[in-house]
């Protein structure tokens, strides 16, 4: 497994005191290429925020059943678009989660794991949970008459937010052990997302759906617990300077 070592890192200025002195002097001598300040930049961003449209919308129901469902909930004063949007958001995150664990499995196959780290079977089990959760949400949207393939505003937003996490997992220079940090970010977000979705489903009177979501939340809580243990074990090994690589298990 790749180790963190002292090497020829030239990103800091301290490696070349003479050049860094000249760089600072040049920066002080040459004025900015355009006028303005941080306040001006903030004003431009605020103007863009006021003038831009929304990131998307929830499409109309895909079936007659969905239209009746939507109309009924509107009469009761609860906008059905909110529940559909948040189900779409969670569905998008579970799709990304499945891909995230697929990427980690590929790194495992290349590098192996470490003492106290995940096995291939561990990673596969969580990946399969993520895929099952995706299917749960797909079926929930269809029961509401919604289109699970539609990119809702929440789905669009969470896709952008999780792009960096997935980028870590697929970056070949980032080791298997380092990539577990991306899993921690994802699992922390996922756990809170499921809890909020359960609260929303309960508020909508969707008791059956809320029960299904609670079962998925219990899986996610276990995922988070495992990732925390793996990261703690990896850090302890690194701190001792102990060998960390174990032989990769072959796919079944």
């Amino acid at each position: 497994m790749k180790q963190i070592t002292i090497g020829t890192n030239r990103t800091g200025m301290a490696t070349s005191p003479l050049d860094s002195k000249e760089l600072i002097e040049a920066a002080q001598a040459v004025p900015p290429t355009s006028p303005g300040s941080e306040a001006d930049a903030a004003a431009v961003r605020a103007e863009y925020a006021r003038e831009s449209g929304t990131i998307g919308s929830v499409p109309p129901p895909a079936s007659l059943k969905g239209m009746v469902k939507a109309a009924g909930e509107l009469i009761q004063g609860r906008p059905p678009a909110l529940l559909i949007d948040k189900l779409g958001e969670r569905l998008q995150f579970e799709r990304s989660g499945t891909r995230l664990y697929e990427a980690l499995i590929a790194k495992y196959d290349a590098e192996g794991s470490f003492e106290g780290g995940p096995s291939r079977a561990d990673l596969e089990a969580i990946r399969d949970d993520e895929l099952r959760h995706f299917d749960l949400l797909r079926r929930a949207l269809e029961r509401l008459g919604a289109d699970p393939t539609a990119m809702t505003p929440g789905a669009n937003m969470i896709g952008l937010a999780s792009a960096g996490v997935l980028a870590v997992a697929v970056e070949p220079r980032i080791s298997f052990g380092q990539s577990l940090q991306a899993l921690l970010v994802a699992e922390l977000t996922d756990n809170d997302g499921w809890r909020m979705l359960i609260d929303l489903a309960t508020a909508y009177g969707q008791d059956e759906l809320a029960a299904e979501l609670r079962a998925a939340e219990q899986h996610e809580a276990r995922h988070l617990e495992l990732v925390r243990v793996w990261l703690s074990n990896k850090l302890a090994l690194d701190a001792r300077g102990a060998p960390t690589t174990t032989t990769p298990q072959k796919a079944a």
Side-chain angles (χ1 to χ4, degrees), residues 1 101-113 118-121 123-124 127 176 245-252:
M1 183 174 292
Y101 278 92
E102 285 283 6
L104 264 292
I105 290 170
K107 281 191 176 177
Y108 173 92
D109 289 343
E111 301 179 29
S113 187
S119 66
R120 197 179 202 280
L123 298 172
E124 288 175 336
R127 176 205 59 194
F176 175 75
T245 302
T246 61
T247 302
Q249 298 171 343
K250 299 297 183 182

Side-chain angles (χ1 to χ4, degrees), residues 178-190:
Q178 290 170 325
S179 296
L180 293 178
Q181 192 70 45
L183 292 188
L184 180 61
V185 172
E187 294 295 353
L188 284 166
T189 301
D190 212 12

Side-chain angles (χ1 to χ4, degrees), residues 99 128-129 190:
R99 293 170 177 164
D128 293 346
D129 278 347
D190 212 12

Side-chain angles (χ1 to χ4, degrees), residues 19-54:
D19 290 335
S20 62
K21 181 175 181 295
E22 292 179 1
L23 183 63
I24 293 172
E25 290 173 351
Q28 294 171 338
V30 179
T33 57
S34 59
S37 65
E38 293 87 347
D40 295 320
V44 171
R45 286 194 292 269
E47 184 177 356
Y48 271 107
R50 285 191 295 268
E51 294 180 355
S52 65
T54 61

